[in-house]
């Protein structure tokens, strides 16, 4: 009886995770490119990738520094976290030193807010 209830709740929980639309998948693919560029301190690549997001990427496209681009990325991260909740293949990370959150597909930490100087600062959230 308990096993049946657990299996039932697991199935219901899986069904509640919204299926990503093609637009969501495109956003997340572009988000991942921006993430990788910022983790590598590559402002030009981050701006180039962000141009694919239209108005949503304008804060990064118009950034004059990595600091400004990372500020724009923070807003994208909040959207990404909401979008991937319950999805497999995406991992939410938190950097306690900078108190910043982001999403990535790899389980190896790649901190987009700290760049090369702090690329390994962060922990996967459960």
């Amino acid at each position: 009886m308990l096993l049946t209830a657990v299996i039932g709740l697991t199935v219901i929980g899986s069904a509640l995770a919204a299926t990503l639309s093609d637009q969501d998948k495109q956003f997340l693919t572009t988000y991942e490119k921006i993430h990788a560029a910022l983790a590598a301190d590559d402002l030009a690549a981050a701006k180039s990738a962000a141009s694919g997001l239209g108005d949503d990427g304008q804060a990064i496209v118009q950034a004059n520094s990595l600091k400004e681009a990372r500020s724009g990325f923070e807003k994208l991260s909040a959207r990404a976290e909401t979008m991937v909740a319950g999805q497999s293949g995406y991992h939410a990370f938190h950097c306690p030193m900078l108190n910043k959150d982001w999403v990535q597909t790899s389980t190896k930490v790649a901190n987009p807010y700290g760049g090369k100087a702090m690329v390994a600062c962060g922990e996967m959230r459960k």
Side-chain angles (χ1 to χ4, degrees), residues 24-124:
D24 292 343
K25 291 175 187 175
Q26 184 177 2
F27 171 84
L28 291 167
T29 297
T30 302
Y31 173 87
E32 186 73 18
K33 290 176 185 175
I34 299 166
H35 164 261
L38 293 176
D41 293 335
D42 189 341
L43 179 59
K47 292 172 80 159
S48 177
S51 68
L53 292 179
D55 290 342
D56 291 334
Q58 284 305 301
I60 297 171
V61 170
Q62 296 173 352
N64 293 313
S65 67
L66 283 166
K67 182 178 180 179
E68 288 178 14
R70 288 176 171 131
S71 178
F73 183 75
E74 194 168 359
K75 293 173 185 153
L76 298 179
S77 290
R79 179 176 169 191
E81 282 188 90
T82 300
M83 200 177 282
V84 303
Q87 301 292 325
S88 63
Y90 296 96
H91 311 284
F93 280 81
H94 176 75
C95 173
M97 292 179 70
L98 299 174
N99 196 28
K100 304 286 184 191
D101 300 314
W102 70 95
V103 172
Q104 61 183 60
T105 54
S106 172
T107 57
K108 182 180 178 189
V109 178
N111 186 331
Y113 298 104
K116 291 178 182 178
M118 294 179 65
V119 75
C121 180
E123 52 198 28
M124 193 181 325

